[in-house]
Amino acid sequence: MLKPEILLVGPYPEWDMVELEKTYQVHKLYEASDTEAFLREQGGNIRAVATRGELGASAALIGKLPKLEVVSVYGVGYDAVDLAACREKGITVTNTPDVLTNDVADLGIAMMLTQSRGMIGAERWVKDGSWAAKGLYPLRRRVWGRKAGVLGLGRIGFEVAKRLRGFDMDIAYSDVTKTPYADGMTYIADPVALAERSDFLFVTLSASAATRHIVSRDVIKALGGEGMLINISRASNIDEDALLDALETGVLGSAALDVFEGEPKLNPRFLALDNVLLQPHHASGTVETRKAMGQLVRDNLAAHFSNAPLLTPVV
């Protein structure tokens, strides 16, 4: 029996590649020197796309795959997949929620602690001899007991809030409506008001056209010169130009960011700042979670090709 042909948009870990190639004929788009020629030659036989959240599947790509049946996303975010094109053509879409929730929340908390206590600079202070030569490291700000805001109280936002409780923080959140599982948290519908109340503002909501730049210049200004913005969601949720302006001028105190527009080629203005912690989009980057994500991608593909219910359908 012929193996179903799938298109891999970007590389997966080796353990996933071994398993995929056992079951499917895998075409690697990212290795093609001429993607247009590659798609003209191979696109007519592709029945599934396996992609990553930040890579997605554009309408242009989908249009070159006439036999496409399913797009399986390695990641929780699917905003880079053209859902309208998929709906129009009857293509199903899956993602990998839940399996990465706790690791993403963990990194968000770690970023808050690292930036607030200046741990990167403190390590340099030790290693470059400044401790011996200059004395104690400059004082930084505490975390415990302060006010935190969570913008988007979904799976990840809720896990962030659970961890913040361990620091005896006063927690508020913003979402489309009050949630029944937010006991002990203050609901604030307006993101500007949430930011104004917060010392730390976590961005944890899904990305969509409706949430693009929801962290606006006004939100950033409301967070203020002592505030910290932590983004473990999608870059599009933040007005990046406004963020950079605020960080450069002191309108915003600091930021801790795992995602960027145009990543990995982020805006070079970030590299000149000493009040921002930069991470390489690795919130789900543990061996355990990445293996679980790959397994869920494969399980969704297997379900599709065996006409079984999809495990985590989006469309």
Side-chain angles (χ1 to χ4, degrees):
M1 182 180 294
L2 294 176
K3 295 179 179 179
E5 297 189 34
I6 72 172
L7 183 70
L8 192 60
V9 177
Y12 281 8
E14 182 61 25
W15 54 69
D16 291 319
M17 293 302 304
V18 169
E19 295 301 320
L20 284 171
E21 288 176 338
K22 286 179 182 177
T23 310
Y24 306 104
Q25 184 176 344
V26 180
H27 300 278
K28 300 172 184 176
L29 182 63
Y30 56 94
E31 290 185 352
S33 57
D34 184 336
T35 58
E36 293 301 315
F38 179 85
L39 290 169
R40 282 196 300 271
E41 181 179 344
Q42 306 293 345
N45 296 318
I46 300 297
R47 296 177 61 193
V49 164
T51 187
R52 302 201 309 255
E54 77 277 17
L55 300 176
S58 67
L61 174 61
I62 291 166
K64 291 167 183 165
L65 308 174
K67 293 184 179 178
L68 184 62
E69 302 164 13
V70 60
V71 175
S72 192
V73 179
Y74 180 95
V76 67
Y78 49 84
D79 49 295
V81 177
D82 194 309
L83 298 183
C86 289
R87 289 190 182 98
E88 180 184 343
K89 297 176 182 294
I91 298 164
T92 55
V93 180
T94 67
N95 67 341
T96 60
D98 296 322
V99 294
L100 51 68
T101 298
N102 285 288
D103 276 342
V104 175
D106 281 353
L107 188 76
I109 298 300
M111 289 164 65
M112 173 186 69
L113 290 168
T114 298
Q115 181 69 332
S116 189
R117 295 302 301 269
M119 292 170 68
I120 303 298
E123 183 186 46
R124 286 198 300 267
W125 192 261
V126 175
K127 288 184 174 179
D128 69 10
S130 294
W131 189 13
K134 302 177 183 178
L136 296 176
Y137 186 62
L139 298 178
R140 300 297 296 254
R141 296 299 301 272
R142 71 168 48 152
V143 167
W144 69 268
R146 298 178 73 195
K147 292 182 177 180
V150 180
L151 182 55
L153 201 70
R155 295 179 181 93
I156 293 170
F158 183 65
E159 288 299 326
V160 167
K162 281 171 59 179
R163 287 154 174 75
L164 294 173
R165 285 172 173 158
F167 296 96
D168 294 324
M169 300 184 83
D170 181 357
I171 306 165
Y173 73 98
S174 182
D175 212 313
V176 292
T177 186
K178 290 184 180 180
T179 60
Y181 49 82
D183 291 344
M185 302 182 217
T186 302
Y187 175 68
I188 301 175
D190 178 23
V192 174
L194 179 70
E196 193 169 30
R197 181 192 186 277
S198 301
D199 297 308
F200 304 94
L201 180 63
F202 287 83
V203 186
T204 54
L205 75 174
S206 299
S208 68
T211 66
R212 179 170 176 78
H213 292 182
I214 190 171
V215 181
S216 62
R217 194 173 295 273
D218 288 342
V219 170
I220 293 166
K221 181 179 179 181
L223 188 54
E226 295 294 326
M228 182 189 300
L229 181 69
I230 303 111
N231 190 11
I232 47 174
S233 62
R234 279 284 192 258
S236 63
N237 288 329
I238 294 178
D239 182 337
E240 202 166 89
D241 287 336
L243 174 61
L244 283 161
D245 291 344
L247 288 167
E248 289 169 346
T249 60
V251 169
L252 177 66
S254 62
L257 309 170
D258 188 45
V259 288
F260 306 88
E261 296 281 5
E263 59 184 49
K265 297 180 180 180
L266 66 161
N267 191 316
R269 291 168 67 189
F270 281 116
L271 305 180
L273 294 167
D274 59 8
N275 58 345
V276 60
L277 174 67
L278 309 175
Q279 297 291 288
H281 198 158
H282 73 138
S284 65
T286 67
V287 170
E288 297 87 349
T289 283
R290 292 292 170 85
K291 284 188 173 181
M293 289 166 64
Q295 184 66 59
L296 188 48
V297 166
R298 298 196 304 276
D299 288 347
N300 274 308
L301 289 172
H304 172 79
F305 285 114
S306 62
N307 294 314
L310 298 174
L311 283 77
T312 52
V314 173
V315 172

